[in-house]
Amino acid sequence: MAGIPAKLIEDVARELTARAAIDIPADYRDGVRRARDREDNRIARFVLDEMLRNWEVATAERRPMCADTGLPRYYVRAGNEATVEGGFVALERALRRATAEATAAIPLRPNRVHPLSRVDHDNNVGIHAPEITYAFEPGADWIDVTTVHKGGLFGSDYRMLFPADGIGGLKRFYVDTLVEHGRRGLACQPAIVGVGIGGAKDTCVRLGKEAACLRAVGSRNPDPAIAALEDELTALGNHVGIGAMGFAGTSLVVATHVEVAFTHTGGMPVGIHQFCLSSRRATARVQADGRVEFRGDPGWFTDYYRREGIE
């Protein structure tokens, strides 16, 4: 079989990049509306109203909803039976071409520079840019492509906690992070907060980012204890006295998503990531027969992705 054409992947990725930059996902919009409705502080409520209005203008005029269009990156979930014309090297080349083309056409701000020389190719493509993260799914022949535009500077933190710190230590780190970032303007709230717990240092940081960027507002971790922790952390975040964009209020957090990984017995590493008010993502499934289905929920955290035992 020839497989899914790489040109189709490129076309889909270019469209996803435009949708992510312009159209805020419906689940996040609804979450911000709920935050606005419960916000008593006049200024914070005004900010939330203006955010919602800005998103409507961006969609109507087909322009990016924020001048800083972040760092485009891709999450690719491939069915085990999926094939790509030219292989996955061709898929990666297609994603890089789509990024460069979209940067010029949408346009996106060319944020990617060499960290030392500051060389900028003006297309958001460079060494390890855009990032491409892979996952796989048994019994499928499709490929899911998700584009996320995420700022690359602030909103994240890491701490190595220990078993004796327990849930109380985790809550303290969570609140400390939100307060520090909120008062210093290091994250544009309200945010979806992703919390990755366990694994190695890189694992918990990755899980925190994926939990923030790839789970829809309103979703819950399938583990009841973790789902309850998500609710408690969200309530804590909204009662520290900070609202939208650092003003006083109760609209700091739209949702908290927690994901876990088995870790070393001696530690409890935690990564926290805030997906800011520019919660930009878009997903499409490319079927083996060439059909393309766009959707709002990336569906990244499948049962297989969270598998625990030996198969």
Side-chain angles (χ1 to χ4, degrees), residues 127-149:
I127 302 170
H128 297 297
E131 297 91 345
I132 303 171
T133 300
Y134 292 95
F136 302 93
E137 195 70 18
D141 58 3
W142 41 254
I143 292 177
D144 279 354
V145 179
T146 297
T147 302
V148 170
H149 296 189

Side-chain angles (χ1 to χ4, degrees), residues 24-104:
I24 293 297
D27 60 279
Y28 182 70
R29 291 186 191 228
D30 290 343
V32 170
R33 288 190 187 97
R34 289 191 292 270
R36 187 264 321 270
D37 292 344
R38 66 172 180 263
E39 179 58 77
D40 293 327
N41 181 277
R42 179 181 60 83
I43 298 178
R45 188 181 178 94
F46 168 79
V47 170
L48 294 170
D49 277 330
E50 289 304 299
M51 287 179 185
L52 291 163
R53 191 171 72 88
N54 179 66
W55 298 339
E56 292 173 358
V57 172
T59 295
E61 299 186 0
R62 307 313 298 161
R63 293 190 295 170
M65 55 72 56
C66 182
D68 182 356
T69 51
L71 301 180
R73 62 184 299 141
Y74 298 94
Y75 292 88
V76 176
R77 176 175 296 283
N80 191 52
E81 283 73 52
T83 59
V84 178
E85 190 176 70
F88 278 82
V89 169
L91 178 144
E92 292 196 339
R93 288 172 175 164
L95 296 181
R96 291 170 77 88
R97 284 194 300 270
T99 302
E101 292 163 1
T103 297

Side-chain angles (χ1 to χ4, degrees), residues 51-212:
M51 287 179 185
L52 291 163
R53 191 171 72 88
N54 179 66
W55 298 339
E56 292 173 358
V57 172
T59 295
E61 299 186 0
R62 307 313 298 161
R63 293 190 295 170
M65 55 72 56
C66 182
D68 182 356
T69 51
L71 301 180
R73 62 184 299 141
Y74 298 94
Y75 292 88
V76 176
R77 176 175 296 283
N80 191 52
E81 283 73 52
T83 59
V84 178
E85 190 176 70
F88 278 82
V89 169
L91 178 144
E92 292 196 339
R93 288 172 175 164
L95 296 181
R96 291 170 77 88
R97 284 194 300 270
T99 302
E101 292 163 1
T103 297
I106 295 172
L108 305 179
R109 194 168 79 180
N111 282 330
R112 298 278 193 172
V113 301
H114 190 285
L116 301 178
S117 69
R118 314 310 287 181
V119 166
D120 186 345
H121 296 321
D122 293 326
N123 60 8
N124 283 308
V125 175
I127 302 170
H128 297 297
E131 297 91 345
I132 303 171
T133 300
Y134 292 95
F136 302 93
E137 195 70 18
D141 58 3
W142 41 254
I143 292 177
D144 279 354
V145 179
T146 297
T147 302
V148 170
H149 296 189
K150 181 67 190 72
L153 298 180
F154 306 117
S156 302
D157 207 351
Y158 161 82
R159 186 174 294 177
M160 175 56 78
L161 299 178
F162 297 95
D165 292 316
I167 299 298
L170 169 66
K171 293 176 182 176
R172 178 169 182 169
F173 175 42
Y174 177 89
V175 171
D176 286 350
T177 300
L178 295 189
V179 170
E180 183 68 10
H181 289 181
R183 72 181 183 85
R184 295 178 61 198
L186 297 183
C188 296
Q189 291 94 2
I192 303 171
V193 184
V195 182
I197 307 172
K201 179 177 181 179
D202 59 328
T203 308
C204 73
V205 172
R206 172 180 60 81
L207 281 176
K209 176 170 281 190
E210 292 178 1

